[in-house]
């Protein structure tokens, strides 16, 4: 339910006009009854009485208007959005703090409970599917899962209802990764393929695996691992694991597993009782991945043509170490997480008013990973003490300015593969296979027209933030009871 803001400039004149009309109607009826009783009555006193009534209501109108402009006279039940005054940032700060508390802030209590419930369920799934013997004709779960994404990094907006988890897979030994695959998007994220060895002995030995998971590419006369085949196997394997462990969980919540059109495996958890705080429905995106070493993983790519069988590299361990290192440098009352959350909220509010195609382009350019990348680059290039809580508006201004600069230069480089190694701590180690790759531009697939549109829209959104807040977010319950999972952040 949206919040209605009372406009006193229209309300009191409207009330005055209505009362004046009622007074005139009453006077007309009263005069008519007098005329019927005394046709020769004098008309002067009636006109004087009407004049006195009008004068009294004019004075009453100005009195009410004067009172409504005085401080402390706001009525309960109406929320007045403060206006932004110049460049001082004081009123904008109050607006941001108020909106953050009502719509953006994560409850540490609910976040902790939600993460614990998700970890308990997924750990049982992985335990059932794990094997210590290297498979020869299929895949298998390997090791423990890795928690990634905004809910675990604590910059999720609103309610902790979506979680991303990497599930490592074990494949037959001998597959080779080939980097630097040519696509029609030069400068984009590094794409790779998983190929069979050149030796014919490996192909003969793993014929069943070849028939299920590998595709022949005639142009290169090589076999490549098919991401779609891996996703379908992973979905079927997860179904079997869920059937083995679901009974103790379904006494308190309902579980459902689905494979989306984007070939993503989604596990949905809907509480039946107080199993999860405030009955939040949660979605868990399970991401199958192949370990590369040094904490990096190969994940099915959403870019390129489906028949190209491309994979991309994730660096969850490196990003976790970088965030922990940055947190240790920042002041205790740092606003860095709050800054990223509010930036994502501005993105969400502005995107709600766009048509479908423009909204898709807007969300694609300003994906959560793109905003996180720009945020990390600003954190690495500014002194830690400048991220004190009192500097929130200034840091948001800097972040938006750096985003617009990147949009105008048509490039936002990957934080680990973007040529900024001098800013990174020594604890961030990349696999040798990807260490020497060319800088990766996250916006290589978008046209100049799209990037210009996003740049102009971003400036408009920040300058008209009070209006976006008034028209955008509905009044939310304290923790979003019964909220369905929405992957609007494209994480």
């Amino acid at each position: 339910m949206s919040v209605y803001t009372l406009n006193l400039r229209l309300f009191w004149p409207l009330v005055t006009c209505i009362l004046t009309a009622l007074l005139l109607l009453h006077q007309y009826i009263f005069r008519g009854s007098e005329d019927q009783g005394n046709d020769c009555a004098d008309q002067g006193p009636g006109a004087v009485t009407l004049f006195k009534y009008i004068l009294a209501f004019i004075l009453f109108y100005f009195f009410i208007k004067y009172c409504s402009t005085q401080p402390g006279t706001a009525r309960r039940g109406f929320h007045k959005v403060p206006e932004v005054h110049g460049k001082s940032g004081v009123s904008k700060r109050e607006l941001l703090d108020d909106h953050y508390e009502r719509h953006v802030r994560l409850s540490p209590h609910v976040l902790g409970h939600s993460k614990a419930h998700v970890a308990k369920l997924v750990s049982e799934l992985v335990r059932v599917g794990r094997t210590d013997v290297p498979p020869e004709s299929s895949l298998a779960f390997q090791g423990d899962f890795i928690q990634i994404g905004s809910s675990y990094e604590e910059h999720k907006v609103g309610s902790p209802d979506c979680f991303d988890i990497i599930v490592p897979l074990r494949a037959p030994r001998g597959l080779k990764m080939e980097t630097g695959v040519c696509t029609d998007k030069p400068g984009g994220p590094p794409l790779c393929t998983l190929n069979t060895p050149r030796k014919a002995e490996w192909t003969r030995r793993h014929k069943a695996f070849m028939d299920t998971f590998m595709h022949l590419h005639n142009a290169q006369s090589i076999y490549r691992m098919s991401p779609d085949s891996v996703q379908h196997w992973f979905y079927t394997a997860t179904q079997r694991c869920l059937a083995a462990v679901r009974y103790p969980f379904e006494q308190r919540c309902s579980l459902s597993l689905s494979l989306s059109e984007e070939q993503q495996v989604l596990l949905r958890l809907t509480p039946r009782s107080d199993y999860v705080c405030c009955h939040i429905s949660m979605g868990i995106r399970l991401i199958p991945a192949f370990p590369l070493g040094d904490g990096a993983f190969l994940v099915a790519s959403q870019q390129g043509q489906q028949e190209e069988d491309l994979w991309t590299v994730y660096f969850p361990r490196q990003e976790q170490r970088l965030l922990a290192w940055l947190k240790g440098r920042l002041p205790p009352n740092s606003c860095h997480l709050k800054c990223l959350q509010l930036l994502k909220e501005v993105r969400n509010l502005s995107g709600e008013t766009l048509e479908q195609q423009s909204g898709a382009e807007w969300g694609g350019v300003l994906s959560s990973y793109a905003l996180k990348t720009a945020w990390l680059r600003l954190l690495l290039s500014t002194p830690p003490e400048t991220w004190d809580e009192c500097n929130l508006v200034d840091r948001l201004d800097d972040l938006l300015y750096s985003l617009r600069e990147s949009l105008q230069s048509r490039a936002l480089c990957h934080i680990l593969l973007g040529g900024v190694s001098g800013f990174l701590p020594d604890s961030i180690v990349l696999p040798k296979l990807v260490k020497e790759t060319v800088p990766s531009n996250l916006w290589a697939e978008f046209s100049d027209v799209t990037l210009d549109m996003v740049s102009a829209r971003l400036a408009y959104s920040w300058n008209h933030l009070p209006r976006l807040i008034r028209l955008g977010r509905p009044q939310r319950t304290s923790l979003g009871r019964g909220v369905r999972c929405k992957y609007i952040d494209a994480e």
Side-chain angles (χ1 to χ4, degrees), residues 354-363 450 453:
L354 296 174
E355 59 182 11
Q356 185 174 2
Q357 181 178 356
S358 299
E361 293 175 345
W362 169 264
T450 299
M453 181 274 292

Side-chain angles (χ1 to χ4, degrees), residues 375-439:
W375 171 73
L376 285 172
R377 297 178 78 87
L378 183 63
L379 280 169
L380 290 169
S381 60
T382 51
E385 61 273 10
T386 61
W387 288 89
D388 192 272
E389 173 70 22
C390 62
N391 299 321
L392 172 66
V393 177
D394 292 337
R395 297 292 76 77
L396 270 171
D397 278 328
D398 293 343
L399 185 52
L400 287 159
Y401 179 77
S402 64
L403 262 176
R404 291 201 67 198
E405 278 194 327
S406 298
L407 288 165
Q408 291 166 3
S409 64
R410 316 303 190 204
L412 179 65
C413 292
H414 193 285
I415 192 65
L416 300 175
L417 303 174
V420 293
S421 56
F423 292 96
L424 300 177
D426 296 335
S427 60
I428 308 300
V429 180
L430 299 179
K432 294 181 180 180
L433 292 173
V434 298
K435 189 178 295 183
E436 303 300 328
T437 56
V438 297

Side-chain angles (χ1 to χ4, degrees), residues 145-185:
F145 58 92
I146 297 97
Q147 301 165 333
I148 64 172
S150 58
S151 291
Y152 294 106
E153 296 170 358
E154 300 184 3
H155 52 79
K156 176 79 168 62
V157 173
S159 178
D161 54 5
C162 298
F163 296 85
D164 291 341
I165 291 180
I166 288 180
V167 181
L169 300 182
R170 185 192 297 271
R173 296 175 181 175
L175 292 174
K176 303 296 182 181
M177 187 185 78
E178 179 184 346
T179 60
V181 178
C182 294
T183 66
D184 57 351
K185 301 178 180 67

Side-chain angles (χ1 to χ4, degrees), residues 89 113 127 159 166 184 203 214 261 348 473:
H113 277 261
R127 180 186 60 81
S159 178
I166 288 180
D184 57 351
T203 304
M214 309 299 289
E261 295 181 358
N348 295 342
R473 286 290 183 190

Side-chain angles (χ1 to χ4, degrees), residues 183-196:
T183 66
D184 57 351
K185 301 178 180 67
L191 301 177
C192 316
T193 59
L194 279 174
N195 305 335
T196 57

Side-chain angles (χ1 to χ4, degrees), residues 16-81:
T16 304
C17 291
I18 293 174
L19 292 177
T20 302
L22 291 175
L23 174 63
L24 293 174
L25 180 62
H26 173 268
Q27 185 66 20
Y28 176 79
I29 297 174
F30 180 76
R31 290 290 307 278
S33 62
E34 282 187 343
D35 291 341
Q36 291 178 0
N38 185 9
D39 294 337
C40 298
D42 184 50
Q43 305 299 322
V48 173
T49 303
L50 178 59
F51 175 78
K52 290 180 179 179
Y53 273 117
I54 294 176
L55 180 61
F57 269 95
I58 291 175
L59 293 175
F60 177 76
Y61 164 71
F62 283 108
F63 174 77
I64 293 296
K65 183 177 180 181
Y66 171 79
C67 292
S68 66
T69 58
Q70 299 305 304
T73 60
R75 301 294 186 264
R76 292 182 180 179
F78 297 100
H79 176 72
K80 183 178 180 180
V81 180

